[in-house]
Amino acid sequence: MSEVLNLGFARVDLDREARQGLPEVVYGPGKTPEHITGIVTGLLAHNTGPVLVTRVGPETAEAVLTSVDGGAYDAEARLLLWRPAATGEFSVLVAAAGTSDRPVAAEAMAVASAVGLDTSAVHDVGVAGLDRVLQVRDQLRAADAVIVVAGMEGALASVVGGLVRAPVVAVPVSTGYGASLEGVTALLAMHASCAAGVSVVNIDSGFSAAMAVHRIAQTRIAQTRGGTDDRGGAR
């Protein structure tokens, strides 16, 4: 039975760190600074790992940081963070197709770094200038996983998926003209990719991509250490 901290307005999953290697991550929209402060305080008191709050605007971030010491705010990624994990050996490269995709790439980078992944990025390597992708292929192939962030028709995911051996996690972005349909075109194109094995997360969700790679990394860590504990977490 999972341990739950009942705050009245939220039931905080305190056992998630033991199950999945990371405390519950807080989704910021719809929560007041008081809500976020209460949840973060509980997570910090009952867990040892990183505490993250996603999709937070600057005013809310300032209010929360005034109430909870030791945090930091990444404005581009819209991420509040306490106790970032030390950087491990598992590397992830975030490849963003265009400069307009940068905010989503920033979220993926910030979350991946916060949970201990060795994170780097290449920007503006979209397929309209294919040479730009080929110029960074060595970086792509050196990574343990690649997160591809692309709007328009989302073709970069297929190109990268055909170049590398590592897992590729694709993030469709809501950039593009009318027929891009706020990211739906990229989403469907990435799902229909001719490159076998490309995984696709929700539109604009750099967070989801980082967490997918975190799970892959946790599996490798567990295998390196000789297995998992009885709740599925790394020993």
Side-chain angles (χ1 to χ4, degrees):
M1 193 72 165
S2 297
E3 185 181 359
V4 172
L5 176 64
N6 190 347
L7 299 175
F9 57 85
R11 294 172 58 83
V12 184
D13 181 0
L14 298 180
D15 199 43
R16 194 171 305 184
E17 183 175 30
R19 295 197 316 271
Q20 299 182 356
L22 185 72
E24 180 177 359
V25 176
V26 184
Y27 177 69
K31 295 181 177 68
T32 67
E34 292 75 21
H35 290 156
I36 295 173
T37 295
I39 296 169
V40 167
T41 299
L43 288 169
L44 289 170
H46 292 87
N47 293 274
T48 60
V51 174
L52 287 67
V53 186
T54 64
R55 305 294 173 97
V56 181
E59 292 184 2
T60 298
E62 183 179 1
V64 174
L65 290 173
T66 299
S67 301
V68 187
D69 292 335
Y73 179 58
D74 185 324
E76 186 176 25
R78 297 180 293 167
L79 183 74
L80 274 170
L81 169 65
W82 289 261
R83 290 193 313 224
T87 302
E89 296 182 357
F90 192 98
S91 65
V92 56
L93 178 66
V94 179
T99 305
S100 296
D101 304 316
R102 190 179 182 96
V104 177
E107 182 179 61
M109 288 183 61
V111 173
S113 179
V115 301
L117 302 176
D118 183 5
T119 309
S120 57
V122 289
H123 291 281
D124 200 20
V125 291
V127 299
L130 196 56
D131 284 350
R132 297 180 298 187
V133 185
L134 298 179
Q135 287 168 3
V136 298
R137 74 178 119 183
D138 289 344
Q139 290 172 259
L140 292 166
R141 289 173 173 169
D144 293 314
V146 180
I147 294 173
V148 175
V149 180
M152 302 290 188
E153 84 289 19
L156 182 61
S158 292
V159 172
V160 173
L163 288 174
V164 306
R165 177 184 300 198
V168 175
V169 180
V171 188
V173 181
S174 56
T175 55
Y177 300 105
S180 296
L181 302 176
E182 298 296 319
V184 173
T185 297
L187 173 70
L188 296 177
M190 288 171 172
H191 274 300
S193 174
C194 187
V198 172
S199 300
V200 186
V201 299
N202 209 345
I203 296 170
D204 291 341
S205 190
F207 164 76
S208 295
M211 294 306 294
V213 176
H214 171 68
R215 285 178 177 265
I216 294 168
Q218 287 294 298
T219 299
R220 177 180 292 186
I221 291 167
Q223 291 171 342
T224 301
R225 295 177 181 177
T228 60
D229 63 23
D230 59 2
R231 290 182 292 186
R235 282 180 179 167

